């Protein structure tokens, strides 16, 4: 319960801080504008300092001090600006603000509830990604050299430079979890998920306000409902793919891992560029500075933002200057420069093949074909320059990814094929979000107020029905998932959390080199145990996590641990007999294993040579049982 009280305090704090910072910067009282601008400003301030802290490998306490100083400076700035601008909020403004924005919180809440239906992915720790991210948040404050650690294993990787040094959202999260004394799973899987969902919902609404609402002020009251399109993205990935609805890279993360920093550039990267720059008549120095700020914020969430910002910014620049006069030369010159760069840089055939394959698959998908009709409808009904400008940007981005030669810059910035596919996923998210905004505005222009409200209700029901039906189609029970969440309020299996506490108890504050099963079954779901053990324990070194998260070759001992050696332990865990234990002994000796965990209710053995059973974890409801053996 205390975790949830702390979580609500966090949400209230971050909303107030970002709203008032945004209001101080813009001198506007628009909730969506202020919240979005404030969040970007707040994140930029933290990103600048936190990136330096991580690059230099400074102690976590320095990051904490920088955080405190930054917040104090932001609060002083807010008070100064609000006083200078004689900021006041009347009762009517509060009521109107609630009336025009309550749907944003309703949609966000529904998205969060739908995320709980993905316990089968959460218990698998988001296909093992949580081992790194949640482990990092858990231990940044406690490890001596935290920025270079192999967190799922619990060992130092010895100052190996990597792109994660620019990802500072985990450092920010670690500050909050330590200040609020919150369980990291609850913080990430409930409250950070809620925050990022709300940020996306606000971004969609703000896009509507910056585009179609300028065509008719009366549409403002409907703008808060435009984010209902996001319900479509909660359809289970396996169903969406098998039914040819959408074929997107890491699409499952939208429903179960929105807390990840990469979710922000992957879902909002292009939209942020459109929101702040698409309606400009020309690009000025202040716009370039704004783009730099946005870029720093997005990159601080994930390096996949680099190619996203590049293609979005170049496409928007060309769109702004697409005119048949001297200004048009800027657009033409930018395009020529891109072609020249493409000729200089190498073509990465593997990346191109993957991008082209995914794009062609989506061209034949049901959702994409439906939105082709939506855009035709928008062109026919709205017929305003803003519609054509936004569409031009999306078409240009597509060209930058797919036209041979021209796509070389995007490929080079992506580095890896999966990053390139995530950028393409961001494009499809944007195409569908923008298309629905245009569709809703088009319905508004040709029908009555009652029919517009009816259309919003109908689309909400259809989208939510599609999402719910996908779970039935994949034989997943949403009700069972919700029950599991209620029974495991920390959003991590109770048995695993208890196991971590007991391992810390037997370790006596020393490193505990441990073998354990890579996977177990909990609450009827496959659960990755080995990679998440360090997230629930302060002292465990999970040697069994090395096959998934390899150690650097600098570590001469543990870098040699292989999947075959882990398989020897898995055989022992399955049989629990002397013969399989004898086969394991050389591995126990080679890697100085002090402890191992066996899974299963059938284990009655009190000892194996010098390894003695010291404790057990029994969760009859979840059907999970662990026995802890420690070397004496």
């Amino acid at each position: 319960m205390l975790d949830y009280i702390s979580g609500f305090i966090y949400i209230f704090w971050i909303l107030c801080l970002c709203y008032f910072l945004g209001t101080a910067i813009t001198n506007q009282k628009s909730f969506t504008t202020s919240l979005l601008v404030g969040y970007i400003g707040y994140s930029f301030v933290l990103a600048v300092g936190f990136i330096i802290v991580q690059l230099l490998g400074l102690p976590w306490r320095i990051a904490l001090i920088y955080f405190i100083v930054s917040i104090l400076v932001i609060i002083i700035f807010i008070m100064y600006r609000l006083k200078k601008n004689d900021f006041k909020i009347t009762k009517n403004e509060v009521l109107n603000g609630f009336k025009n924005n309550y749907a944003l919180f309703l949609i966000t809440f529904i998205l969060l509830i739908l995320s709980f239906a993905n316990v089968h992915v959460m218990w698998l720790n988001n296909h093992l990604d949580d081992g790194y991210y949640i482990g990092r948040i858990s231990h940044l404050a406690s490890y001596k050299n935290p920025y270079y650690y192999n967190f799922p294993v619990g060992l130092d990787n010895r100052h190996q430079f990597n792109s994660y040094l620019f990802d500072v959202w985990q450092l920010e999260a670690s500050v909050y979890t330590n200040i609020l004394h919150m369980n990291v799973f609850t913080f990430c899987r409930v409250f950070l998920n809620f925050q990022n969902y709300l940020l996306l919902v606000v971004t969609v609404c703000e896009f509507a306000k910056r585009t179609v609402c300028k065509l008719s002020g009366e549409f403002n009251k409907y703008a808060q409902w435009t984010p209902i399109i996001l319900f479509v993205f909660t359809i289970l990935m396996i169903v969406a793919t098998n039914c040819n609805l959408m074929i997107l890279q890491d699409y499952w993360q939208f429903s179960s891992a929105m807390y990840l920093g990469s979710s922000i550039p992957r879902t909002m990267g292009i939209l942020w560029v459109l929101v702040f720059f698409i309606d400009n008549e020309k690009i000025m120095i202040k716009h370039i500075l704004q783009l730099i700020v946005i870029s720093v914020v997005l990159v601080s969430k994930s390096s996949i933002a680099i190619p996203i910002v590049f293609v979005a910014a170049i496409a928007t620049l060309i769109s702004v200057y697409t005119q048949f006069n001297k200004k048009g030369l800027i657009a033409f010159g930018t395009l020529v420069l891109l072609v020249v760069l493409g000729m200089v840089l190498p073509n990465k055939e593997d990346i191109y093949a993957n991008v082209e394959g995914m794009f062609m698959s989506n061209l034949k998908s049901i959702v994409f074909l439906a939105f082709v009709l939506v855009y035709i409808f928008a062109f026919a009904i709205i017929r305003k320059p803003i519609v054509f400008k936004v569409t031009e940007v999306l078409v240009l981005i597509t060209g930058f990814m797919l036209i041979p030669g021209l796509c070389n810059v995007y490929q080079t910035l992506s580095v890896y094929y999966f990053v390139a596919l995530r950028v393409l996923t961001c494009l499809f998210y944007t195409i569908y979000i923008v298309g629905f905004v245009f569709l809703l505005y088009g319905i508004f222009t040709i029908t009555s107020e009652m029919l517009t409200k009816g259309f919003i209700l109908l689309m909400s029901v259809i989208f939510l029905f599609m999402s719910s039906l996908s779970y039935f189609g994949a034989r997943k029970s949403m009700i069972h998932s919700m029950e599991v969440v209620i029974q495991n309020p920390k959003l991590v299996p109770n048995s695993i959390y208890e196991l971590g506490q007991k391992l810390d108890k037997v370790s006596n504050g020393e490193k505990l080199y441990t073998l354990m099963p890579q996977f177990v079954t909990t609450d009827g779901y496959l659960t990755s145990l080995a990679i998440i053990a360090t997230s629930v324990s302060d002292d465990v070194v999970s040697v069994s996590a090395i096959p998934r998260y390899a150690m650097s070759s600098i570590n001469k001992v543990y870098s040699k641990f292989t999947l075959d050696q882990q398989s020897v332990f898995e055989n022992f865990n399955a049989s629990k007999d002397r013969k399989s234990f004898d086969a394991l002994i050389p591995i126990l000796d080679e890697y100085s294993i002090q402890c191992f965990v066996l899974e299963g209710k059938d284990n009655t053995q009190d000892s194996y040579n010098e390894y003695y059973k010291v404790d057990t974890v029994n969760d009859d409801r979840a059907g999970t049982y662990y026995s802890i053996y420690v070397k004496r």
Side-chain angles (χ1 to χ4, degrees), residues 137-191:
I137 295 169
S138 300
H139 292 296
L140 278 171
S142 57
Y143 288 164
K144 291 182 180 179
N145 182 30
Y147 312 113
Y148 301 94
Y149 250 73
N150 184 328
F151 292 95
V153 177
L155 290 175
D156 191 349
N157 251 349
R158 308 286 178 86
H159 291 81
Q160 278 205 319
F161 180 85
N162 58 75
S163 62
Y164 289 115
L165 294 176
F166 294 94
D167 296 3
V168 298
W169 66 271
Q170 303 106 315
L171 185 54
E172 177 191 349
S174 74
V175 169
Y176 279 113
T177 53
N178 277 277
I179 289 175
L180 296 170
H181 299 287
M182 280 191 69
N183 175 272
V184 64
F185 292 92
T186 309
F187 179 77
C188 291
R189 292 175 173 176
V190 180
F191 297 101

Side-chain angles (χ1 to χ4, degrees), residues 495-515:
S495 56
I496 292 180
Y497 184 80
E498 184 181 350
L499 176 64
Q501 303 302 301
K502 291 191 173 182
L503 287 171
D504 281 345
K505 186 177 179 180
V506 302
S507 70
N508 294 319
E510 300 292 330
K511 287 290 185 183
L512 191 67
Y513 290 79
T514 308
L515 289 178

Side-chain angles (χ1 to χ4, degrees), residues 236-457:
L236 273 179
M237 179 176 175
I238 188 172
V239 174
T241 302
N242 291 342
C243 295
N244 199 33
L245 294 175
M246 293 175 286
I247 300 91
L248 304 174
Q249 178 73 16
D250 299 329
Y251 164 60
W252 54 269
Q253 291 183 357
F254 185 92
S255 293
S256 64
M258 192 65 182
Y259 82 88
L260 294 174
S262 61
S263 295
I264 293 177
R266 187 173 57 250
T267 58
M268 304 171 229
I270 296 174
L271 281 174
W272 280 10
V273 175
L274 288 173
V275 162
F276 290 104
F277 305 109
I278 191 61
D279 203 32
N280 295 336
E281 294 183 359
K282 60 181 180 179
I283 303 299
M284 302 172 65
I285 296 296
K286 68 175 183 178
H287 298 133
I288 295 173
L289 294 176
Q290 289 171 359
L291 180 63
I292 291 172
V293 170
I294 291 173
S295 300
V296 170
V297 171
L298 290 173
V299 171
S300 74
K301 307 301 180 184
S302 174
S303 57
I304 68 168
I306 295 173
I308 290 175
V309 171
F310 176 80
V311 294
I314 296 298
T316 303
L317 174 66
I318 293 174
S319 177
V320 168
Y321 286 105
T322 300
Q323 301 176 39
F324 294 102
N325 53 35
K326 290 182 179 179
K327 289 184 178 180
L329 293 175
I330 297 177
F332 180 75
T334 303
L335 196 56
V336 169
L337 179 60
L338 197 61
V339 171
V340 172
L341 285 173
M343 293 173 64
V344 173
L345 296 171
N347 176 41
K348 298 188 177 183
E349 294 182 2
D350 59 326
I351 292 181
Y352 185 82
N354 278 282
V355 171
E356 183 185 37
M358 186 171 127
F359 183 80
M360 295 307 295
S361 296
N362 279 281
L363 277 186
K364 298 176 286 186
S365 69
I366 295 171
V367 174
F368 183 82
L369 293 174
F371 272 87
V372 169
L373 299 178
V374 166
Y375 277 89
I376 292 173
F377 170 81
F379 294 154
I381 300 300
I382 303 176
R383 290 180 291 183
K384 297 293 183 180
I386 191 65
V387 175
F388 297 104
K389 286 181 71 175
V390 172
T391 306
E392 180 188 0
V393 170
L394 300 178
V395 170
L396 284 169
I397 292 174
T398 305
F400 295 161
M401 295 183 184
L402 291 166
I403 297 175
L406 199 62
C407 65
N408 291 357
V409 181
Y410 150 71
Q411 292 176 3
T412 301
L413 292 174
S414 296
V415 182
Y416 303 107
Y417 81 91
F418 60 86
V419 174
L421 293 180
R422 287 171 182 172
V423 181
L424 184 57
T425 295
C426 179
L427 173 62
F428 278 112
Y429 279 145
T430 309
I431 288 171
Y432 300 148
I433 290 169
V434 168
F436 186 77
V437 170
F438 289 163
L439 174 62
L440 186 56
Y441 180 77
I443 296 296
F444 163 76
T445 59
I446 62 175
T447 63
S448 65
E449 182 174 338
M450 182 177 295
L451 288 176
T452 301
K453 291 179 179 178
F455 178 78
I456 291 171
L457 179 61

Side-chain angles (χ1 to χ4, degrees), residues 186-225:
T186 309
F187 179 77
C188 291
R189 292 175 173 176
V190 180
F191 297 101
L192 206 52
N193 264 353
F194 181 90
Q195 172 194 291
N196 287 351
Y197 278 132
L198 180 61
L199 190 62
L200 175 57
V201 166
V202 165
T203 297
V204 175
C205 181
E206 183 65 11
F207 171 78
K209 290 181 178 180
R210 296 286 184 107
T211 53
V212 293
C213 284
K214 289 187 176 182
L215 304 179
S216 173
E218 293 182 6
F219 187 72
N220 272 296
K221 59 185 176 183
Y222 299 111
Q224 63 177 319
W225 293 102

Side-chain angles (χ1 to χ4, degrees), residues 98-113:
F98 175 79
K99 181 180 178 181
N100 293 326
N101 295 289
Y102 74 91
L104 304 179
F105 290 92
L106 177 62
I107 294 169
T108 301
F109 180 73
I110 293 173
L111 289 171
L112 180 65
I113 295 299

